[in-house]
Amino acid sequence: MKLFTSLLALFFTTFLFSQNTSTVKGKILEQGTNYPLEYATISFIDSAGKTVTGGITDLDGNYSIEVPAGSYTVKYEFISYKSVEKSNQNLQNNTTLPTVYLSLNSESLDEVVVRAETTEVQIRLDKKVYNIGKDLTTSGATVSDALSNVPSVTVDVDGAISLRGNENVRILINGKPSAIAGFGSTDALRQLPADAIERVEVITSPSARYDAEGTAGILNIILRKEKTLGLNGSVQVNMGVPLSSGLSTNINLRTEKFNIFNTTGIRYNDSPGNAYFETRYLNANASNPLVIEERDYDRLNRGFNTNLGIEYYLTEKSSLTASGFLRLGDDEDTTTNLTQEFNAANALAVLRSRIETETEEDTSLQFSLNYVNNFNDDGHKLTIDLQAEDDEETEVSFIDEFNTFPTNQPLPAELITQQEDQNEYLIQADYVLPIGENAQFEAGYRGNFEKTTTDYLLTEQLAAGGAFIRNDSLSNVFTYEENVNAVYTQYGNKFGKFSFLLGLRYEDTQLKGEVTGEDITSNDDFNVNFDNSYSGLFPTVNLVYELGESENVTLGYNRRINRPRGFFINPFPSRSSEANVFQGNPGLRPAFASAFDLGYLRRWKNLTLTTSVYYQQETDAFERVSEDTGQVTPNGVPIIRTIPFNLSTNERYGFEAGVLYNPAKWLRLNGSFNFFGFQTEGMFNGVDYGTKNTSWFARGSSKVTLPSKIDWQTTAFYRGPRNDAQSETEGLLSINLAFSKDIMDDNATIGFNVSDLLNSRKRVTSTETPSFISDSEFQWRERQFNLSFTYRFNQKKQRQKDTRGAGDGDEGEGDFGG
């Protein structure tokens, strides 16, 4: 009651104060390009020369400031730009001042670098925006590597991306699902160069404008698109050990009527990895109860990607953008699996070698068309997006196996061919209407239509050296469709220091699956053909209260959905080894989650602190479990099946904090810490898989400017131990080291970095079930050394623009009142 009374008094105080003030609005743009200047400052100076109040511009260069009624000189400033003053401005009533254009002051360019490196995080109503353009450890790296340096985000040793420890995260490119993100897979992100990214938006409390997919939240990757007039760009070449090489270019041609942009990359990598598995079977029928597997991975990855687009300015306020993305992959992976089987007396009984050679060819093609109409300078806006994607993938695996002890004996070989074709179409329209001084209304529609066909053919020899015969029990064609239609509306307003954004989204989902095969009737566990429909309402609430000019508190609530992907639904097993299979579950239902997030932000001169406390309750959450199938291989080894299923509930809670500290021009520090816990409840096949656990991870980075313009950056990451219903995973430490130096009159940069300096990025897991106990160690990629050279032409201003939010996608959405 006391808190309510205090808030009520604060509201009336703010209301009374507002009667003696005027709301002054306007916009600041760059002279010549009409590019919005974010974080430009506006000062109101009285007749005595005293600055009475002021403020800064938002992402689109707009400002709205409460000013005591009076006459002022208004001063407009932005670092490296010439200041502008407008004198004798009589501000007695609410006023919209004319748009101000600032021109570049070429004499102050040296100051730009300092500001660009200190402005690394921006806080919005529903997201945090991280500029990673100055992260040295991403030089010559991939998008997947770059994401591992973003606070709240972790990338597992095998590439799985998590947000606050939760893998159910939605990845968008420029605000939309994209072939660049690999249709929900992270493999494509390992081919796209990190320097193609402008910023990463971490959206833990998404507004209604975003689709509701991803119970953990959304990672929105914004790609670069230069706004400077003329021809400009950059070229980067990198070489590494183990063999890693790449060439990437980023080129823009901008005129008054159009902007042509292109990012192209070529990669050739040989990435070794390794794994160790020790499994002890508790089943008395197991002929050899102890099995040890040692695996070596040799991955040869060849990739090409290009993104070409043109933005044509129909009028001063409207534009049409067309772009195409092409990704080609030609990979060859060899996995050598050495298996040792021990009998009950712990004596070696069988020594077997299994060599799997897999070739994979990928082609991803995407076309996008975007129309934007800014009806006025106040934010009245219509955006329409059309997108079509096609992804084709062919995998051919040849498995050759033979015993070397107690006798040399060739075993039947296997040949697996898997072809996957995925088509996806997107239609999206968003409308924004400002209402009065501070209010804003939004509404929109999104239709996403996806179809995937997977043709899995397994042929095997019945006897070593014999003909390859089709295995009808496992060969199949699986067709999966996911169609989502959604409409949303949201409304935001600002009263003094209090801002809110309320939204409601409705989504209708249809999931269809069909399996064709000669032996599907023998699968009694599942209904392999299904047609399921789900619909739901997804409300969102985002609140901000400004405690001061550099301090605020945020509160967010949202409801989310996690739809099962095709891999989780396909009921036919895929094998990582003869005795270990993964099988999808077509009976999986979507999971729904409700999440709360309470955040605090405080800025000082050289320090920025962000903290948040969060809680999430998820129903029908996915869980992967391993169980003994009761079947054995031809060599008598029990076959273990891993399968996903729906738990009843999954509760998550946590606390995170981030610090950006710049004590001197030559030293920049940042760190983040995340503690989280979870509790799950659920049963499968009569086994209780409920569990309760806590874990944490921390990240720290220091960047030091040495003499002779040499930058030195060290980044350390530690993830604490964790466990789920069946497994315990040890803690993991990883350290990256990087150096860079600007040369050729600062038009070029040479860089050197070491990824995983201690070669310690390994996942060590122990799994215990009633039928077996397994210990494993997995290292996706060994320590990497990389040397890079970057040359920039006509990009003198690139460094300052990195921090101002340029790019495509959902610019400004959810920024109301921020």
Side-chain angles (χ1 to χ4, degrees), residues 333 356-361 394-398 415-418:
D333 300 343
E356 178 178 359
T357 302
E358 177 185 291
T359 60
E360 178 179 325
E361 294 183 358
T394 301
E395 296 180 7
V396 179
S397 300
F398 181 77
L415 179 63
I416 301 173
T417 302
Q418 179 171 294

Side-chain angles (χ1 to χ4, degrees), residues 157-159 187 190 242-244 267-275 295-302 330-336 356-360 763 777-782 784:
V157 292
D158 52 357
D187 292 343
R190 291 174 177 161
L243 179 60
S244 173
R267 301 183 65 83
Y268 186 97
N269 299 335
D270 191 355
S271 181
N274 59 84
R295 297 182 193 171
D296 288 319
Y297 304 95
D298 186 11
R299 308 180 191 89
L300 181 61
N301 302 322
R302 293 161 290 214
D330 184 8
D331 304 337
E332 184 175 334
D333 300 343
T334 301
T335 302
T336 302
E356 178 178 359
T357 302
E358 177 185 291
T359 60
E360 178 179 325
R763 182 179 62 211
E777 179 179 291
F778 178 71
Q779 183 179 28
W780 172 263
R781 184 177 62 185
E782 298 175 2
Q784 182 80 37

Side-chain angles (χ1 to χ4, degrees), residues 548-653:
E549 185 177 333
S550 303
E551 186 178 19
N552 66 48
V553 176
T554 61
L555 176 63
Y557 162 78
N558 65 90
R559 185 171 186 256
R560 310 285 295 164
I561 185 174
N562 185 28
R563 303 179 183 91
R565 305 298 297 177
F567 180 65
F568 266 34
I569 291 180
N570 191 339
F572 281 83
S574 61
R575 293 188 277 186
S576 58
S577 73
E578 191 177 26
N580 292 279
V581 301
F582 178 89
Q583 184 172 13
N585 179 1
L588 274 183
R589 303 178 302 276
F592 293 88
S594 293
F596 299 85
D597 191 296
L598 178 64
Y600 172 76
L601 166 71
R602 177 66 189 272
R603 299 181 190 271
W604 291 270
K605 182 179 180 181
N606 298 317
L607 178 68
T608 299
L609 170 67
T610 61
T611 64
S612 64
V613 178
Y614 54 90
Y615 171 80
Q616 180 188 89
Q617 184 182 49
E618 186 175 4
T619 58
D620 284 337
F622 303 157
E623 179 72 25
R624 278 180 283 192
V625 299
S626 299
E627 60 181 7
D628 192 337
T629 62
Q631 301 174 343
V632 296
T633 68
N635 304 295
V637 178
I639 298 176
I640 304 300
R641 176 180 72 169
T642 300
I643 186 170
F645 74 100
N646 291 105
L647 283 173
S648 58
T649 62
N650 182 0
E651 291 185 274
R652 288 178 174 268
Y653 56 88

Side-chain angles (χ1 to χ4, degrees), residues 333-404:
D333 300 343
T334 301
T335 302
T336 302
N337 191 355
L338 182 64
T339 301
Q340 303 174 68
E341 298 181 19
F342 295 85
N343 58 27
N346 285 330
L348 180 64
V350 177
L351 183 61
R352 182 181 307 109
S353 179
R354 177 185 175 97
I355 300 175
E356 178 178 359
T357 302
E358 177 185 291
T359 60
E360 178 179 325
E361 294 183 358
D362 302 296
T363 302
S364 295
L365 188 60
Q366 171 186 296
F367 294 101
S368 301
L369 192 65
N370 168 262
Y371 170 75
V372 177
N373 190 346
N374 295 288
F375 297 102
N376 55 39
D377 294 330
D378 297 327
H380 189 194
K381 183 178 182 179
L382 172 66
T383 304
I384 299 176
D385 290 284
L386 303 175
Q387 189 168 285
E389 306 170 2
D390 181 75
D391 183 63
E392 297 180 357
E393 177 182 288
T394 301
E395 296 180 7
V396 179
S397 300
F398 181 77
I399 301 174
D400 192 17
E401 191 170 14
F402 49 90
N403 288 334
T404 58

Side-chain angles (χ1 to χ4, degrees), residues 626 693 722-729 765-768:
S626 299
N693 188 36
R722 68 190 193 280
N723 68 271
D724 57 24
Q726 293 181 309
S727 304
E728 294 183 1
T729 303
T765 303
S766 177
T767 301
E768 184 171 349

Side-chain angles (χ1 to χ4, degrees), residues 497-518:
K497 296 183 178 181
F498 175 73
S499 305
F500 68 85
L501 184 63
L502 308 178
L504 183 64
R505 188 179 185 92
Y506 171 80
E507 291 195 352
D508 179 75
T509 303
Q510 183 183 45
L511 305 180
K512 299 173 63 176
E514 181 181 359
V515 175
T516 58
E518 295 184 17

Side-chain angles (χ1 to χ4, degrees), residues 183-203:
F183 304 100
S185 168
T186 60
D187 292 343
L189 299 180
R190 291 174 177 161
Q191 296 188 20
L192 193 66
D195 65 324
I197 304 177
E198 180 166 314
R199 66 183 188 271
V200 175
E201 298 176 347
V202 178
I203 310 172

